[in-house]
Amino acid sequence: MNPREVANKQFDIAADVIRLDAGARAVLKSPKRVLKVSIPVRMDNGEIKVFQGFRSQYQDARGPYKGGIRYHPQVSEDEVIALSAWMTWKTAVMDLPLGGGKGGIICDPKSMSQGELERLTRGYARAISLVVGPETDVPAPDVYTNSQTMAWFLDEYNRQVGHQEPGVITGKPVEIGGSLGRDTATARGCMIATREAFKAKGIPTNGATIAIQGFGNAGSFVAVLANEFLPGSKVVAVSDSHGAIYNPSGFDVAKLVEHKEKTGKVAGFGGAKEITNDDLLTLDVTLLVPAALEGQITKDNAAKIKAKIVAEAANGPTLPEADDILFKNGKFVIPDILANAGGVTVSWFEQLQAKTEYPWSLKLVQERLEERMVKSFHDVHDASKKHGVHMRTAAYAVAVDRVARALKWKGY
Ligand code: GLU
């Protein structure tokens, strides 16, 4: 299923539940603007290679477009548009004064040198500089981009406009205006929401087992933070793009992180058994955290999922056809637009710090993230009980209603 169809289907289900008027329904099913750019890059061997990039600006009724930039061979225009729609609902479900956007470049960052990545990022920044800005559209990291990518982007943007504009991008290194706690924010937010889900379902954290698909910025920090938020739990399975590993007695997470840093993979970690990605998704665990890419939980594997709680640290990991199966089987899914919203929430904190030129302490960042996540979790959980729907439809109902109200005030 094309990610845009997935996003529109999820939207339609919620639009029916809240009886959204036809005008808002039509407006909210398409991005307001999509910029497509060609970025010529001189590769290390002297050749010029032209990369395809995108920036989708989905909705800005509630505030400037906001969302990350993804570097991946499978990036496509439709994927970027879907991701920008999900950002629109994500910022709304968190009640942030922001809209939704997303960028992406079709490339294989793992096969590129630092120099090539820097030239690609600077080229992309020049190409989209016309449509971004602190009050217009604010990018951030996503799959295979990081604080270094953000620093290059910022520097190139500053050169374009002729002055310093730290608010044009978030996820920057702390030394040049980034926020403390931004690097772990997605995982922290996910664990706060997960802790609330354990409480709401009355599931004890002691002895809980966790499987995590993906060991990037979200997945690895989920593993690191698991015990702080779910005392007595253990991480028993993890995967990355090279493969998955399983150890029923639980991993020493600090050592696993070290192993991944050293070898570039989770596979080969001492005492663990190698399993397939599909095995990982269907393991008999308490909590499953998809923290990789879209379309992982489908109608083919949904019925085999044994986890009681699924916390979507990734964007779009579950297809709509799988949602119904999980719901029927009594699984509690914390949907992506809520579960992984900690990242954009701390991005917003970073914007506030840039505006006031006043850095916050880590303690303040974490307290405010905690407060926002808990409130949004309960807004969605209450909506799910009120409408008798699962958490995804409830999250969309809350978010779409907020965006539609803003649209109505401003006019279509
Ligand atoms: N890429 C992250 C996401 O999908 C963060 C976006 C942001 O901070 O703007 O939520």
Side-chain angles (χ1 to χ4, degrees), residues 59 62-67 84-101 337 341 344-345 348 372 376 399 402-403:
Q59 243 316 310
R62 290 174 47 88
Y65 302 107
K66 184 83 193 80
S84 70
W86 289 327
M87 286 309 302
T88 305
W89 315 132
K90 193 183 300 185
T91 54
V93 90
M94 294 304 291
D95 210 3
L96 309 178
L98 297 170
I337 58 171
V344 72
T345 301
W348 177 56
R372 287 251 159 198
S376 298
R402 285 179 182 159
V403 177

Side-chain angles (χ1 to χ4, degrees), residues 66-68 87 90 102 140-142 170 182 315 343-344 347:
K66 184 83 193 80
M87 286 309 302
K90 193 183 300 185
K102 198 81 173 201
D142 196 73
T170 60
R182 175 63 186 83
N315 288 311
V344 72
S347 277

Side-chain angles (χ1 to χ4, degrees), residues 54-72:
F54 308 92
R55 183 73 188 170
S56 168
Q57 300 181 328
Y58 201 85
Q59 243 316 310
D60 65 348
R62 290 174 47 88
Y65 302 107
K66 184 83 193 80
I69 305 167
R70 172 173 295 201
Y71 288 1
H72 197 275

Side-chain angles (χ1 to χ4, degrees), residues 181-215:
R182 175 63 186 83
D183 48 355
T184 55
T186 305
R188 179 170 285 270
C190 181
M191 290 321 282
I192 295 169
T194 304
R195 180 199 62 207
E196 294 303 301
F198 270 77
K199 273 197 244 164
K201 300 307 286 175
I203 301 170
T205 65
N206 199 19
T209 49
I210 308 171
I212 305 169
Q213 184 199 38
F215 212 66

